[in-house]
Amino acid sequence: MLPLEIPEVVIDRLPIYARALALLEKQGREVVNSQELGERLSVTPAQIRKDLSYFGRFGKQGRGYNVSRLLQELHQILGLTREWPMVLVGVGQLGRAIAAYDGFVPQGFRIVEAFDADPKIIGAKLNGLEVKPVDALPEVLRRHRAALAIVAVPAAVAQEVIDMLVESGVRAILNYAPIAPHVPPHVRIKDIDPVLALQSMTFYIKSAADAAK
Amino acid sequence: MLPLEIPEVVIDRLPIYARALALLEKQGREVVNSQELGERLSVTPAQIRKDLSYFGRFGKQGRGYNVSRLLQELHQILGLTREWPMVLVGVGQLGRAIAAYDGFVPQGFRIVEAFDADPKIIGAKLNGLEVKPVDALPEVLRRHRAALAIVAVPAAVAQEVIDMLVESGVRAILNYAPIAPHVPPHVRIKDIDPVLALQSMTFYIKSAADAAK
DNA sequence: GTATGTGAACCACTTCACAGCA
DNA sequence: TGCTGTGAAGTGGTTCACATAC
């Protein structure tokens, strides 16, 4: 059923579809077609239909997609029908902001352990979580079996921390450190770096901004 | 130079190259070749050479690239030889974390104005900045001429805020709200959404995690 | 000898266009 | 009739491979 190679770009779009469908569902919509969904997401209708076709036939010709049904299917496909415990490494300013972010839990992602290297931070409470020393990470992960980790440590030690997480069996990492991390093929990693995003946008506006100067 | 022809993916990679070069420069390296740079960034050497060739000939055959020279060229290309003032809209938990993030200023990005709709927040100080009401945004932007904005407001009002920013002449937006925003073609926008990143990674690890259960 | 710069070949994703079904 | 699902065509980005330059 599943073709061996589903393009990664397709997988990256599925959560976007799911988010839009969740909104439609909240608004009480029962059916949506690829045309309208595409307009809402700035994606072509063909793109949406093609993407979904990798996984099955979820629509009805002449009608469109049942919103709740398709949302459920996408959750199934993405593995979002369960909760995902996560560990957080790095409890500095950034790490604390991540821990406080209220967008994770409603989507089933919960930080269940927090680690730091700073003795002044270790032992402190973070959202009712006791911050543990990074050295305890392998041992703690061996028991917890969390598959997801968030890295929010300084760039200088980020690769080291990532190696430790990989070593401890983590399967996917959300990396906030401004580095180009290395991980083995069986581990997924995504980087969040607002500075890179800004630095590529300035390319497009620099001439106009200069001209307007 | 001729931005009309250059693929956006290429532009997105330039800041990554620049970051790696900045690190090499700090380490005192004078020369690097596409081979080594590629290994550090998990990019093929041909990719790097091709990307750079869109903008000029910065290397020396048989030798490689002068680190400082190439870094400077990239800064020039990306428009990073100047400071970029930014306005922040949304000073809730997320907005405050963004304002406190210490990664922007060293790269020349500084928040110069902050706005919120909540009367309880308006007037408060944020890093020495007085939080102003969103209604004042058009008027303030008319004077400031900031080309960059960061949106950290609730999803429900994000599009409205983005429209206001576009209306006020902002040229690029970093959007933290979990929506699919609409902007006219002359405005750039990039979304930062850690939840989407997590939701696509779970696809790849769900089966393995289930199997290991 | 060594590594760049680049047309050409290749590959992957996107879009088209229409058969097929509700 | 209307919209999905999907081979086929099209597009655009990546990789190759080698002439070129140091």
Side-chain angles (χ1 to χ4, degrees), chain B residues 80-159:
Chain B
L80 303 178
T81 54
R82 48 164 286 193
E83 285 234 329
W84 287 95
M86 308 188 293
V87 300
L88 170 68
V89 189
V91 189
Q93 205 155 56
L94 178 57
R96 282 194 293 273
I98 291 166
Y101 183 54
D102 60 6
F104 289 130
V105 170
Q107 301 299 320
F109 298 97
R110 191 197 316 276
I111 294 168
V112 297
E113 293 284 356
F115 300 91
D116 204 289
D118 185 346
K120 287 192 291 294
I121 294 178
I122 293 166
K125 285 279 170 143
L126 182 77
N127 291 2
L129 233 65
E130 187 192 319
V131 179
K132 299 179 178 167
V134 272
D135 321 279
L137 203 156
E139 151 67 3
V140 172
L141 260 178
R142 196 129 24 236
R143 284 186 286 110
H144 258 301
R145 280 265 151 253
L148 294 174
I150 300 181
V151 172
V153 300
V157 296
Q159 183 62 55

Side-chain angles (χ1 to χ4, degrees), chain A residues 165-193:
Chain A
L165 288 165
V166 169
E167 192 65 32
S168 303
V170 158
R171 300 292 319 284
I173 296 169
L174 193 62
N175 170 47
Y176 281 82
I179 64 161
H182 291 252
V183 290
H186 68 278
V187 176
R188 315 291 309 186
I189 188 159
K190 294 242 180 202
D191 305 308
I192 302 266
D193 191 335

Side-chain angles (χ1 to χ4, degrees), chain B:
Chain B
M1 255 161 257
L2 10 149
L4 296 176
E5 296 272 3
I6 298 164
E8 182 165 349
V9 273
V10 172
I11 304 303
D12 287 344
R13 280 191 293 264
L14 298 186
I16 298 172
Y17 300 162
R19 189 173 63 185
L21 288 164
L23 183 59
L24 283 166
E25 186 181 54
K26 215 178 73 180
Q27 295 170 347
R29 283 289 296 280
E30 293 198 347
V31 177
V32 70
N33 59 36
S34 61
Q35 172 75 37
E36 181 187 347
L37 195 56
E39 279 164 13
R40 287 174 178 255
L41 299 176
S42 307
V43 169
T44 64
Q47 179 87 271
I48 293 172
R49 298 201 301 278
K50 184 65 132 186
D51 286 352
L52 296 177
S53 77
Y54 281 103
F55 304 96
R57 299 136 81 99
F58 307 122
K60 282 205 191 352
Q61 275 102 335
R63 198 159 150 67
Y65 300 89
N66 177 293
V67 171
S68 301
R69 157 92 195 293
L70 183 53
L71 178 56
Q72 211 162 351
E73 294 281 2
L74 288 175
H75 278 168
Q76 198 71 49
I77 292 163
L78 291 167
L80 303 178
T81 54
R82 48 164 286 193
E83 285 234 329
W84 287 95
M86 308 188 293
V87 300
L88 170 68
V89 189
V91 189
Q93 205 155 56
L94 178 57
R96 282 194 293 273
I98 291 166
Y101 183 54
D102 60 6
F104 289 130
V105 170
Q107 301 299 320
F109 298 97
R110 191 197 316 276
I111 294 168
V112 297
E113 293 284 356
F115 300 91
D116 204 289
D118 185 346
K120 287 192 291 294
I121 294 178
I122 293 166
K125 285 279 170 143
L126 182 77
N127 291 2
L129 233 65
E130 187 192 319
V131 179
K132 299 179 178 167
V134 272
D135 321 279
L137 203 156
E139 151 67 3
V140 172
L141 260 178
R142 196 129 24 236
R143 284 186 286 110
H144 258 301
R145 280 265 151 253
L148 294 174
I150 300 181
V151 172
V153 300
V157 296
Q159 183 62 55
E160 190 185 329
V161 163
I162 288 167
D163 291 344
M164 194 183 272
L165 288 166
V166 169
E167 193 65 33
S168 303
V170 158
R171 301 291 320 282
I173 296 170
L174 192 62
N175 170 47
Y176 281 82
I179 65 161
H182 291 253
V183 291
H186 69 280
V187 176
R188 316 291 309 187
I189 188 158
K190 294 242 180 201
D191 305 308
I192 301 265
D193 191 335
V195 169
L196 291 184
L198 290 169
Q199 288 180 330
S200 59
M201 291 195 293
T202 52
F203 170 81
Y204 295 100
I205 65 176
K206 70 169 196 300
S207 22
D210 289 351
K213 159 80 190 64

Side-chain angles (χ1 to χ4, degrees), chain A residues 43-208:
Chain A
V43 169
T44 65
Q47 178 87 272
I48 293 172
R49 296 201 303 276
K50 183 65 129 184
D51 285 352
L52 297 177
S53 77
Y54 281 103
F55 304 95
R57 299 137 81 100
F58 308 121
K60 282 207 190 354
Q61 277 102 331
R63 198 159 149 67
Y65 301 89
N66 177 294
V67 171
S68 301
R69 158 91 194 294
L70 183 53
L71 178 55
Q72 211 163 349
E73 294 282 1
L74 288 174
H75 277 169
Q76 199 71 49
I77 292 164
L78 291 167
L80 302 178
T81 54
R82 49 165 285 195
E83 285 235 330
W84 288 95
M86 308 188 291
V87 300
L88 170 68
V89 190
V91 189
Q93 205 155 55
L94 178 58
R96 282 194 293 272
I98 292 167
Y101 183 55
D102 60 6
F104 289 129
V105 169
Q107 301 299 320
F109 299 97
R110 191 197 316 274
I111 295 169
V112 297
E113 293 284 356
F115 300 91
D116 204 290
D118 185 345
K120 289 191 289 293
I121 294 177
I122 294 166
K125 285 280 171 143
L126 182 77
N127 292 0
L129 234 65
E130 187 193 320
V131 179
K132 297 180 180 167
V134 271
D135 320 278
L137 201 156
E139 151 67 4
V140 171
L141 260 178
R142 197 131 21 237
R143 283 186 287 111
H144 258 300
R145 279 268 151 252
L148 295 173
I150 299 181
V151 172
V153 301
V157 297
Q159 184 62 56
E160 190 185 330
V161 163
I162 288 167
D163 291 344
M164 194 182 272
L165 288 165
V166 169
E167 192 65 32
S168 303
V170 158
R171 300 292 319 284
I173 296 169
L174 193 62
N175 170 47
Y176 281 82
I179 64 161
H182 291 252
V183 290
H186 68 278
V187 176
R188 315 291 309 186
I189 188 159
K190 294 242 180 202
D191 305 308
I192 302 266
D193 191 335
V195 169
L196 291 185
L198 289 170
Q199 288 180 329
S200 59
M201 289 195 293
T202 53
F203 170 81
Y204 295 100
I205 65 176
K206 69 169 197 300
S207 20

